[in-house]
Amino acid sequence: MMAFQEVRSSTFQQSYRCYPLSFIDKSHLEKGDKIIMPPSALDRLSYLRIEYPMLFELSNLSAGRVTHCGVLEFVADEGLIYLPYWMMENMLLQEGQIVQVKNASLAKGTYVKLQPHTKDFLDISNPKAILETSLRSYSCLTTGDTIMVAYNNKKYYIDIVETKPSSAVSIIETDCEVDFAPPLDYKEPEKPAPSAPLKKTRLEDQEEPARKIPKFSPFTGFGRRLDGKPSTQPVAPAASPKLKQHQPEAHNGTEDSKSSKPASQQPAGKLVFGSNVNQPQKAAPKVAPENNSQEQPQKVEEPKFQAFTGKKYSLKG
């Protein structure tokens, strides 16, 4: 019976009213998980021979929240304890609300997975070094809690996603592996569209203009006379850029007796200077009848214009 009573009395369990650390001008303790307890708690813990480091389990029975913490000093007023404000937020505690405190024995942690709330924490030059320095102010970690890490006048909130070997572990004088989950505000980059269809369309765009652009054919189209009269000879594409010599045409089966040389002919696709050059008299016209009907009859008595003979002729004839 006595042994059973000793076993029951070895557990420390008390209820206190909680307040934030700012009430006793100890706001610097917000960077850890240490609480301030009354002196009577130290007397009771010493009587029960609780081993160091002293760790405690805090419970908010009305909200069903549980977390773990350490103790720094025993200077609080009787019946009161002071907690970091971020810890009160995790447990949904209000100022002056009742919280149960119970001593706990936690295994040393070997693995912790953390998840920052924002991407700003990962933008720090060396977030693991900052985290290692900040966690020195913590005694234990509990899965589901949200801790606060202060750096460069800015507060970073980090969720405890997973702890091993149990859901609550001690991180005092232990080598613990730390892993990071993607931040809560992280968004995966959009996957780029496949590039293969784009290459095909670009090749098709390059081929279509090549098909649409016609090849250059020199000396094509219709010839125009300088005297304004329509040309009776169709213009054919030149086979080569070189000029060819043509045989003189016979008019009504006879040559022109006034010229010692054959009459100059019009190369295909070239401009014709003069008013009476290569004008057929009785041959059938090669163009539409409407154009030929408008032509005026040629005067037989007028001498024909000879190109490059040294004589001067006016364009009016």
Side-chain angles (χ1 to χ4, degrees), residues 5-303:
Q5 289 180 353
E6 289 181 0
V7 171
R8 289 188 59 185
S9 61
S10 62
T11 301
F12 175 85
Q13 185 172 356
Q14 294 290 334
S15 296
Y16 298 97
R17 293 187 179 276
C18 63
Y19 292 93
L21 290 168
S22 59
F23 277 38
I24 54 174
D25 296 331
K26 292 184 180 293
S27 299
H28 61 280
L29 298 180
E30 290 285 346
K31 299 179 181 180
D33 66 343
K34 305 295 192 301
I35 65 175
I36 305 297
M37 301 180 68
S40 60
L42 177 60
D43 296 338
R44 181 63 179 172
L45 292 169
S46 300
Y47 176 78
L48 297 176
R49 298 180 182 180
I50 302 297
E51 297 180 357
Y52 289 89
M54 296 182 181
L55 302 178
F56 300 92
E57 176 185 290
L58 304 182
S59 302
N60 182 4
L61 300 180
S62 60
R65 295 296 185 97
V66 177
T67 189
H68 297 79
C69 65
V71 60
L72 181 65
E73 296 176 350
F74 296 88
V75 294
D77 296 336
E78 291 297 330
L80 306 179
I81 60 171
Y82 298 94
L83 280 65
Y85 187 72
W86 64 265
M87 188 178 296
M88 294 181 62
E89 289 181 336
N90 284 343
M91 300 187 64
L92 304 178
L93 289 171
Q94 301 294 329
E95 298 176 2
Q97 193 171 346
I98 299 297
V99 60
Q100 287 191 353
V101 181
K102 179 180 177 182
N103 70 306
S105 178
L106 302 178
K108 290 187 176 183
T110 57
Y111 173 82
V112 176
K113 187 174 183 179
L114 308 176
Q115 186 176 29
H117 283 195
T118 61
K119 296 182 294 185
D120 298 342
F121 181 76
L122 299 181
D123 294 336
I124 301 175
S125 59
N126 194 349
K128 286 191 175 182
I130 301 301
L131 186 63
E132 181 181 358
T133 303
S134 300
L135 289 181
R136 291 176 183 173
S137 302
Y138 288 79
S139 302
C140 50
L141 296 175
T142 304
T143 301
D145 277 359
T146 299
I147 63 174
M148 188 273 294
V149 175
Y151 175 73
N152 199 16
N153 296 327
K154 190 174 182 180
K155 295 180 180 180
Y156 299 94
Y157 292 91
I158 301 175
D159 291 342
I160 310 298
V161 179
E162 183 181 2
T163 57
K164 292 181 181 180
S166 59
S167 59
V169 295
S170 172
I171 57 173
I172 299 175
E173 297 180 357
T174 182
D175 294 332
C176 187
E177 180 183 357
V178 178
D179 190 15
F180 287 93
L184 294 178
D185 62 347
Y186 175 77
K187 295 181 180 180
E188 294 185 0
E190 297 181 359
K191 296 181 180 179
S195 58
L198 295 178
K199 292 181 179 179
K200 292 182 180 179
T201 55
R202 289 178 182 174
L203 293 176
E204 292 175 358
D205 294 341
Q206 293 177 359
E207 291 177 359
E208 287 181 0
R211 295 174 184 174
K212 293 179 181 179
I213 297 175
K215 294 183 179 180
F216 174 72
S217 299
F219 306 109
T220 58
F222 295 95
R224 299 287 182 179
R225 294 170 59 99
L226 291 179
D227 58 357
K229 296 180 180 181
S231 176
T232 58
Q233 294 182 358
V235 180
S240 64
K242 296 181 179 180
L243 296 177
K244 296 183 180 180
Q245 295 180 354
H246 297 273
Q247 297 296 331
E249 291 183 357
H251 299 279
N252 298 327
T254 61
E255 295 182 354
D256 187 5
S257 59
K258 294 182 181 181
S259 175
S260 59
K261 297 180 181 180
S264 60
Q265 300 297 323
Q266 172 187 346
K270 296 294 183 179
L271 294 177
V272 179
F273 294 88
S275 59
N276 298 324
V277 178
N278 299 333
Q279 186 68 25
Q281 296 180 3
K282 294 183 179 181
K286 297 181 180 180
V287 296
E290 296 178 0
N291 296 333
N292 292 336
S293 62
Q294 297 177 359
E295 294 184 0
Q296 297 179 359
Q298 301 292 331
K299 294 180 181 181
V300 180
E301 292 79 12
E302 291 181 0

